[in-house]
Amino acid sequence: MREFMDYIQSAFYAATGWNRDNSYSSLNATADALLSFPTPRGLRITLGSLATPQFATAYQLGTVGVVDGSVSYLYSTVSLRNAVAQSARIPLPDLLKSYKPLVELPRGTIGTGDFLEGWDASEKNTLAYGRLYLPQSMLEALVVKRFSPTLQMQISAVSDQTLRNGGTVLGMVQYDRQRYGIEGLASSDGGLMGVRGLYNFGGDAENLKTPYGSSNDVATGNGIGEREGIYGRFSTGAELYYGTLNKSGGMSMGVRFATLPTYRGTPLTATMTINPLMGNISWSYAVMAGKFCSLATRMDFNVYSYESEWAVGTELWRRRKSSWAVDAGKESPAPEQAPPPKLERSFQAKIEWRLDDPLPAPEPPEMQSAPKELPQAEEDNDKYSGVLKARLDQHLKIGLLWEGRVKSLLFSLGSGIDLRRLDTPFRSLGLEVQFSS
Amino acid sequence: MAFNFNWSPLTADEEFYQRAQDLLTTALNKSPKPPIIVDDILVTEFNLGSVPPELEILEIGDLAEDRFRGIFKMCYSGDAFLTLRTRVQANPLNTYLSAKPAFTSPQPLAAAAGLTIPLSITLSEIKLSAFVILVFSKQKGLTLVFRNDPLESIKVSSTFDSIQFVRDYLQRTIEGQLRTLMMEELPAIIHKLSLRLWCPDQLPREDEAPRESADDEVAVDPFAAPPLDAVDASGHVLDANELSSLSLDGGFELHPLFSQKNLLRLAALNDSHRTLSLFTPGIKSAMFRAWAGPMDRLDAGRSTPLAAQGLLRTHSVLGNSTTYTFTDAGSLDNGQLPSRSSLSSLNSTTMGLSVGAGRHPRTSRKKKTRVVNLRRKTDTASEATSDTGETMSETSSMAGPSSEPINATSIPEEPEDEEPIGSSSKVRFAKGPETELSKRLPLSMDIFTDPVDSVEAVVMSVEEKTKVPTGGQAKALEAGAMTPIRNPFNLDRKRPNGSDTSSVILEQAWIARMAGEIARRVYDEKQRNANFWAERNDAPPPAYEATQ
């Protein structure tokens, strides 16, 4: 389950129109969400509140033998009014990370004003976040500052007695130009410097300059049914790190293909990353087999040591008032879609939901990200009531996670099982409960 | 006298090597490994070689059929070798990230992908040079401690010898690890082996054996072995009969045995219990009975057994002594024990302490402790005699003519310098906070300086109260200095009469008495020395520990 504060942070990014996924570090996000989800340990209770549209608090109390907890505060200069913070109404797919289809890159030229509605050049959107872990006296701090529609800086710091020098600071500058995104980072720990970049091509990245509704749109978005092959976007990127103090470094390259929401076939994401220094190659493949089921698999191979690893994972959503179902054959239920297929989709929804379909309010095309999610979220809320995630890796370790909502409480029940040690198979067991308002 | 060390049968025994390999493997994997080592460390080859170490006997402190204690100088430059095998993480970014908080992690996508490489390390050409302290007793097994860092040089050859950087790093790291192994793990291994050989009955209760050895070290602890010349609250010297009836739970006040500061702190602590005050003082130099026996430890809190014990004990005594007053002792203190100068201020504070919390269930443990500590006491006694003998002569010369025989000459001087080292090293086997105890080495030096204080005190008290016969019993004088009302019998009874036949008995009694005196001095010294218990500071305040 995403932590409440992480969810609020993503609401900040949505409100400011920053595309978090246009970064090389999130190239594998889909496969990671399906294959390396963390399972809770012990009992953990989180109380969160978006007290004002600009201020959020969260308190966490947990016990794994010893009681610990944390207090966190978040302040944002931009109003997060559109974020749904009540745990009774939070759209579950947003909170329970799952297969996330790519978001279409916003079109139009940058800087003309239509790129981001309400963006004011003089406005420097800032987010400040702090979290204090109590018995350990560990302090986390994060400041995100937006300088321009394309430039954002993020500084995170940890202060802890046990760390060398008492803490670390990581600074990151992000530059996002739709077609490519570059990040530069520096860490105080070991003097680590890094740069990573992502370049998009194919699919919607080809016609970024053309505004919506042009003739080109018909050829790509709507006319996809007539085209052969699958419609998606390629992304390729690389990262490079160098520790100036310990004289060590690392690098990797990667490529991803992911279908876009307008593609009517089965949504899929395939990635390959190569670490040429260490000889590590990794492939992952994730597919949304149906509206209520996602599958992912990953394979690692090291050409130097011939070590290999594999992992498979799945995610089953629970439909409201029904049992677990794999609803294959349905069209993509992508929560974010370009307006023209939106009509098509709501028509289908009408079929599915018989008569009680809420009026599919035709949305203005310039509404991009955050405001649009509201009716969608309500729809998703109706559709989903919980999710079961499972993964299995080559060490025969099983991770199970059941997340959902009971009344207005969000819960997450998970366990790690080791099949190789059948005498004590449960390696970890945990329950997280979250309430927010 | 000659010793015959047989090296080759030891090295020829195949089973010995198997056992030694197993022990080394467990020892190497016990401590948390650096993140660069991703697998268990396996000892694949181990050979002691054919060249035995050179041993030079420097000193033999104790020699009997069933026990031995001595100091050796050991030099070794033989052909022993050791081969380890493990797997290391070759990606520096991976190890870099493993120790860092996730919040500030740069979160690389694939740059931190791991590459584990099998690594085999051979240690050879080991050169050792050390002073070894060897203590052997049939009951306690063999204890071997290095007095200094034994490792002189070692050759590390590994799979990565061609890479200069890696080789240097390995050399450095392994030398550091070996030093800790030699200083800390090796004595434990040897002790365990020797226990298996000589006293297998101790093996099943392995966790208790170190406690007993640790128990030895705290023989000077006045609670473990109450001073034979204990005084009661008003300073009366207790005679042997009273002492035998004295149990720590009994009605006798033992307040002079407690730290002044601790009492104040405990009072503050108790106040904070009863009020809503958030201030809970850390009890620094808490004296604890935790070492008195295994059972004592069990019912204390696990994290702060020491402080909790101190708390318990103080409660009990204060609860039993409601009629006690400090004022007399404080005024007559003569500056001999500076920690008691503020006793009158304590008086008001301690009245606030609760009167409950008697310690009844401990009566039975007392005797057991005495039995265990029997042998150590004689050690301390001889030590006490050797240096208080000088004190006595000084005292008599300064305090005027004395008819008492000074019997220090009849007691052979025994070098006790190395004894605290050898004994403190035993504490290494304890699982608890043994590091503090090993620091008792400098304290033993203070013992020798301390009697000077007592000499002055005696002189002062003699000048003050001229009716006191200036006997050789500094203890009685000292006790008398603290009380306004003297018990006339306590001095006369213990005065030696000078006859040859009774002198032996007298001497023994006197030795025992002096042992108690020294024990009390050490205890006082501990209280005064703030740094001694400084490491206790980080322990949580005992206020929240369940004491019973």
Side-chain angles (χ1 to χ4, degrees):
Chain A
M1 179 161 33
R2 267 171 110 173
E3 293 212 347
F4 177 71
M5 278 306 183
D6 190 38
Y7 174 73
I8 296 294
Q9 268 180 50
S10 64
F12 169 82
Y13 287 122
T16 56
W18 183 262
N19 185 5
R20 233 177 170 183
D21 293 331
N22 203 17
S23 155
Y24 180 71
S25 58
S26 59
L27 195 78
N28 273 344
T30 299
D32 282 347
L34 286 164
L35 294 173
S36 348
F37 54 87
T39 53
R41 281 180 64 89
L43 183 66
R44 198 156 289 276
I45 296 169
T46 308
L47 293 178
S49 166
L50 187 63
T52 74
Q54 294 183 323
F55 187 71
T57 57
Y59 306 94
Q60 195 171 68
L61 198 66
T63 170
V64 199
V66 289
V67 177
D68 58 352
S70 70
V71 181
S72 46
Y73 297 98
L74 183 144
Y75 172 74
S76 149
T77 55
V78 63
S79 165
L80 307 175
R81 198 171 288 114
N82 291 319
V84 183
Q86 292 81 8
S87 54
R89 288 176 48 228
I90 288 183
L92 286 182
D94 277 9
L95 198 68
L96 318 175
K97 270 182 194 169
S98 58
Y99 187 98
K100 285 222 172 102
L102 282 185
V103 181
E104 287 237 26
L105 294 173
R107 298 196 202 168
T109 48
I110 296 161
T112 56
D114 60 346
F115 156 65
L116 184 64
E117 194 192 13
W119 173 262
D120 185 2
S122 66
E123 188 183 8
K124 303 273 190 285
N125 292 329
T126 306
L127 176 136
Y129 162 74
R131 180 171 189 172
L132 179 66
Y133 291 86
L134 266 178
Q136 303 100 323
S137 293
M138 186 170 83
L139 185 71
E140 288 179 355
L142 171 78
V143 174
V144 181
K145 197 164 174 65
R146 188 83 177 272
F147 290 106
S148 77
T150 57
L151 191 65
Q152 174 173 285
M153 193 178 71
Q154 180 176 327
I155 296 174
S156 49
V158 171
S159 168
D160 190 2
Q161 215 175 6
T162 59
L163 293 177
R164 205 192 301 169
N165 302 328
T168 58
V169 179
L170 175 81
M172 185 153 65
V173 177
Q174 296 168 305
Y175 185 67
D176 184 8
R177 293 285 299 204
Q178 315 299 325
R179 183 175 279 272
Y180 61 91
I182 301 174
E183 284 174 322
L185 56 94
S187 169
S188 72
D189 201 349
L192 186 86
M193 314 283 287
V195 62
R196 53 193 177 206
L198 186 77
Y199 180 77
N200 298 316
F201 61 97
D204 61 339
E206 293 302 318
N207 42 21
L208 278 176
K209 293 284 168 63
T210 54
Y212 289 98
S214 70
S215 60
N216 208 358
D217 209 28
V218 183
T220 55
N222 270 338
I224 194 69
E226 290 82 48
R227 277 173 53 156
E228 288 192 10
I230 50 178
Y231 175 63
R233 186 203 305 163
F234 284 95
S235 308
T236 181
E239 62 182 347
L240 186 66
Y241 299 95
Y242 183 68
T244 52
L245 293 187
N246 49 18
K247 304 277 187 297
S248 62
M251 68 165 298
S252 77
M253 298 178 292
V255 64
R256 172 184 67 191
F257 173 77
T259 56
L260 286 162
T262 45
Y263 172 60
R264 290 195 208 156
T266 308
L268 62 89
T269 303
T271 65
M272 179 175 78
T273 55
I274 300 173
N275 187 334
L277 291 182
M278 296 299 142
N280 199 291
I281 307 175
S282 171
W283 299 270
S284 79
Y285 182 74
V287 61
M288 200 157 168
K291 222 178 251 178
F292 299 96
C293 174
S294 303
L295 304 166
T297 172
R298 181 170 57 205
M299 161 92 185
D300 288 331
F301 180 66
N302 196 305
V303 293
Y304 295 151
S305 64
Y306 299 122
E307 278 181 309
S308 65
E309 277 179 42
W310 57 260
V312 293
T314 183
E315 183 181 79
L316 288 172
W317 283 88
R318 189 172 201 272
R319 210 201 297 244
R320 180 162 287 236
K321 294 193 222 87
S322 76
S323 57
W324 304 100
V326 179
D327 199 351
K330 294 289 182 205
E331 296 301 278
S332 156
E336 305 213 5
Q337 273 181 327
K342 170 74 184 160
L343 281 173
E344 180 78 16
R345 192 190 171 285
S346 54
F347 177 63
Q348 284 184 351
K350 198 179 287 179
I351 291 177
E352 186 184 340
W353 290 92
R354 304 271 153 62
L355 297 173
D356 54 348
D357 187 32
L359 282 176
E363 288 164 357
E366 62 267 19
M367 293 279 286
Q368 276 307 306
S369 45
K372 196 177 74 176
E373 281 176 4
L374 271 177
Q376 290 270 338
E378 296 290 339
E379 215 170 289
D380 287 336
N381 265 357
D382 287 346
K383 233 183 269 180
Y384 304 117
S385 67
V387 62
L388 175 75
K389 299 183 186 185
R391 64 156 181 255
L392 169 72
D393 67 7
Q394 126 236 32
H395 303 292
L396 290 184
K397 282 183 183 158
I398 293 179
L400 284 177
L401 193 62
W402 179 28
E403 297 177 309
R405 176 157 46 206
V406 175
K407 302 289 181 191
S408 57
L409 289 180
L410 294 159
F411 72 92
S412 168
L413 179 67
S415 169
I417 301 170
D418 194 346
L419 287 186
R420 293 220 171 140
R421 306 182 55 176
L422 284 173
D423 45 340
T424 52
F426 290 95
R427 310 308 295 170
S428 72
L429 195 65
L431 173 67
E432 278 184 27
V433 178
Q434 180 173 315
F435 175 79
S436 56
S437 62
Chain B
M1 191 164 58
F3 293 97
N4 191 9
F5 289 105
N6 214 341
W7 188 251
S8 51
L10 188 71
T11 57
D13 185 4
E14 198 55 46
E15 196 191 345
F16 165 79
Y17 277 129
Q18 193 55 46
R19 240 176 14 232
Q21 277 184 24
D22 290 348
L23 281 170
L24 274 174
T25 305
T26 37
L28 283 171
N29 291 310
K30 202 164 67 179
S31 58
K33 292 185 281 287
I36 198 168
I37 295 174
V38 293
D39 205 355
D40 283 351
I41 305 173
L42 291 175
V43 179
T44 52
E45 277 180 272
F46 178 54
N47 199 322
L48 281 176
S50 56
V51 183
E54 291 173 21
L55 280 177
E56 186 182 329
I57 300 172
L58 294 184
E59 202 171 285
I60 291 180
D62 194 1
L63 189 60
E65 272 187 7
D66 59 343
R67 62 183 193 271
F68 173 79
R69 192 182 69 226
I71 304 182
F72 300 90
K73 184 174 185 292
M74 187 192 72
C75 286
Y76 181 73
S77 57
D79 51 353
F81 67 92
L82 176 70
T83 306
L84 308 171
R85 198 185 295 154
T86 186
R87 296 199 303 158
V88 291
Q89 177 60 257
N91 192 345
L93 204 61
N94 191 302
T95 56
Y96 164 84
L97 288 175
S98 61
K100 304 293 176 281
F103 192 71
T104 49
S105 155
Q107 290 171 337
L109 184 74
L115 171 62
T116 55
I117 296 177
L119 171 72
S120 132
I121 297 176
T122 304
L123 312 177
S124 55
E125 294 178 28
I126 304 166
K127 285 194 171 52
L128 301 176
S129 163
F131 290 96
V132 183
I133 297 156
L134 185 77
V135 180
F136 169 71
S137 87
K138 245 187 180 151
Q139 287 83 36
K140 299 278 166 60
L142 179 74
T143 309
L144 184 145
V145 198
F146 295 103
R147 195 169 181 180
N148 59 339
D149 184 9
L151 188 65
E152 243 179 21
S153 74
I154 191 169
K155 187 189 172 201
V156 178
S157 49
S158 70
T159 331
F160 299 119
D161 267 358
S162 51
I163 311 169
Q164 178 75 29
F165 164 73
V166 179
R167 197 180 65 190
D168 289 351
Y169 173 78
L170 282 176
Q171 176 89 33
R172 218 168 43 235
T173 314
I174 285 169
E175 272 185 25
Q177 288 277 342
L178 262 185
R179 291 216 156 93
T180 55
L181 175 83
M182 291 266 194
M183 300 286 280
E184 286 165 18
E185 302 286 353
L186 195 64
I189 292 175
I190 289 174
H191 186 76
K192 231 184 250 178
L193 269 178
S194 70
L195 279 185
R196 190 171 297 175
L197 273 178
W198 284 295
C199 25
D201 53 324
Q202 292 206 7
L203 268 184
R205 41 193 192 99
E206 227 167 22
D207 50 344
E208 288 184 16
R211 280 185 200 157
E212 283 183 11
S213 63
D215 197 8
D216 267 5
E217 313 323 313
V218 213
V220 286
D221 183 338
F223 298 143
L228 296 179
D229 53 350
V231 290
D232 61 7
S234 47
H236 300 154
V237 176
L238 304 169
D239 63 19
N241 295 330
E242 283 169 328
L243 195 71
S244 65
S245 69
L246 169 76
S247 75
L248 288 179
D249 310 16
F252 285 94
E253 291 84 8
L254 291 178
H255 284 83
L257 298 176
F258 289 102
S259 158
Q260 186 64 29
K261 287 176 188 166
N262 274 357
L263 285 178
L264 284 172
R265 277 165 207 256
L266 284 167
L269 183 68
N270 202 332
D271 280 348
S272 73
H273 271 272
R274 305 196 301 159
T275 64
L276 285 176
S277 161
L278 286 176
F279 171 69
T280 52
I283 304 218
K284 250 198 215 167
S285 41
M287 198 63 222
F288 50 94
R289 278 189 86 238
W291 305 106
M295 287 175 65
D296 255 352
R297 284 183 141 195
L298 288 180
D299 50 1
R302 194 189 278 175
S303 57
T304 59
L306 319 175
Q309 285 294 339
L311 180 63
L312 257 178
R313 161 131 202 89
T314 316
H315 265 300
S316 67
V317 174
L318 285 175
N320 289 328
S321 70
T322 47
T323 59
Y324 180 73
T325 54
F326 282 100
T327 45
D328 287 344
S331 57
L332 291 167
D333 194 71
N334 287 335
Q336 180 192 347
L337 294 169
S339 66
R340 293 186 194 160
S341 55
S342 60
L343 274 173
S344 52
S345 69
L346 175 73
N347 195 11
S348 57
T349 329
T350 41
M351 285 305 140
L353 285 172
S354 67
V355 192
R359 284 174 65 255
H360 302 298
R362 310 219 167 181
T363 323
S364 58
R365 279 195 297 277
K366 206 39 223 150
K367 285 159 193 164
K368 192 204 292 178
T369 308
R370 275 191 203 139
V371 171
V372 169
N373 290 331
L374 200 55
R375 202 184 144 263
R376 278 287 303 153
K377 259 189 241 168
T378 59
D379 278 356
T380 324
S382 57
E383 178 184 349
T385 320
S386 63
D387 48 18
T388 33
E390 305 165 28
T391 312
M392 302 274 297
S393 57
E394 285 179 50
T395 311
S396 52
S397 65
M398 283 158 72
S402 165
S403 60
E404 310 288 339
I406 298 164
N407 41 14
T409 50
S410 62
I411 292 161
E413 179 105 4
E414 190 178 349
E416 284 290 328
D417 256 1
E418 74 280 2
E419 177 55 29
I421 307 159
S423 55
S424 71
S425 61
K426 275 191 194 172
V427 191
R428 288 181 190 280
F429 305 129
K431 287 180 179 172
E434 61 269 51
T435 48
E436 288 88 356
L437 282 169
S438 61
K439 287 188 181 171
R440 270 183 40 215
L441 173 58
L443 192 65
S444 66
M445 296 305 151
D446 294 335
I447 297 176
F448 297 99
T449 61
D450 211 37
V452 181
D453 285 349
S454 76
V455 170
E456 293 168 4
V458 167
V459 171
M460 285 164 72
S461 62
V462 162
E463 286 167 1
E464 251 184 34
K465 298 147 185 155
T466 49
K467 64 171 181 176
V468 181
T470 61
Q473 314 210 348
K475 176 64 215 76
L477 283 177
E478 191 181 306
M482 293 198 299
T483 172
I485 313 147
R486 182 84 27 78
N487 262 358
F489 65 89
N490 59 354
L491 283 180
D492 297 335
R493 186 191 299 168
K494 298 212 163 66
R495 181 173 301 169
N497 52 12
S499 74
D500 283 336
T501 51
S502 64
S503 71
V504 176
I505 303 161
L506 200 67
E507 186 180 301
Q508 282 174 351
W510 190 78
I511 285 170
R513 165 170 287 240
M514 277 308 151
E517 169 65 11
I518 290 298
R520 207 170 62 83
R521 290 195 174 281
V522 169
Y523 170 61
D524 284 340
E525 188 59 35
K526 267 188 205 165
Q527 289 176 325
R528 260 175 253 145
N529 195 349
N531 293 334
F532 186 74
W533 296 101
E535 284 152 5
R536 282 278 133 66
N537 277 343
D538 51 356
Y544 303 110
E545 293 287 334
T547 50
Q548 285 287 355

